[in-house]
């Protein structure tokens, strides 16, 4: 038996480009006159973050936060921990969390509570892909790129065993 590999394309590079341009315009209008802090969630969001910030016509700053679920399994274990904190204070500042995926919602729920406790001026979330049918915790998402089915995806930041994050599109992982 070989390893699973990227198969059917779920979101093409062109669809990513077009939707991220729309999100950037929308975020630019909503934050007009503000200088938001965009918080990318490592590792998966690094490509989305890089493309999104270039689509937002505002003075903004970027920072990153690292989170991990306890346990080794692909399914979320339910416990989230901070592995790498922000480098700056967000107190009194408009904060936009940039995530690649909301699945069960546990990670985002933890992150929202963690950042709310630091008293930002506002706190919103942009997610590239929403697996809405997998949600176990209700969590508010302000901007959604794509709603996708509950299948394992790789590419454009999404990994399998650390690989395939560098694909310029999102594909379903398929058995060998
Ligand atoms: C993924 C994704 C979210 C989280 C969503 O991260 O980037 O942070 O899972 O799942 P949830 O809604 O069920 O909590 P992952 O743990 O795969 O880490 P990575 O970003 O480093 O790939």
């Amino acid at each position: 038996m070989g390893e699973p590999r990227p198969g059917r394309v779920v979101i093409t590079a062109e669809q990513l480009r077009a939707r991220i341009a729309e999100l950037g315009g929308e975020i630019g209008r909503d934050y007009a006159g503000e200088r938001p802090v965009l918080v990318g969630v490592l590792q998966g969001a690094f490509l989305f973050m890089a493309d999104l910030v270039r689509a937002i016509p505002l003075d903004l700053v970027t920072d990153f936060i690292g989170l991990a679920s306890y346990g080794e399994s692909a399914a979320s274990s339910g416990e989230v921990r901070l592995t790498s904190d922000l480098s700056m204070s967000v107190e009194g500042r408009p904060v936009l969390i940039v995530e690649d995926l909301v699945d069960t919602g546990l990670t985002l729920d933890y992150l929202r509570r963690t950042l709310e406790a630091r008293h930002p001026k506002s706190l919103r979330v942009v997610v590239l892909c929403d697996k809405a049918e997998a949600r176990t915790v209700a969590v508010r998402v302000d901007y959604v790129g794509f709603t996708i089915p509950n299948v394992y995806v790789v590419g454009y930041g999404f990994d399998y065993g650390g690989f395939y994050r560098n694909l310029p599109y999102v594909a379903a992982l398929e058995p060998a």
Side-chain angles (χ1 to χ4, degrees), residues 41-45 67-69 76 80 99-108 157-159 165:
V41 184
L42 297 170
Q43 293 192 37
L67 298 172
S69 296
S76 295
V80 180
E99 251 290 28
D100 57 343
L101 177 69
V102 57
D103 189 347
T104 63
L106 288 163
T107 305
L108 202 50
F158 299 116
D159 74 302
R165 292 193 199 272

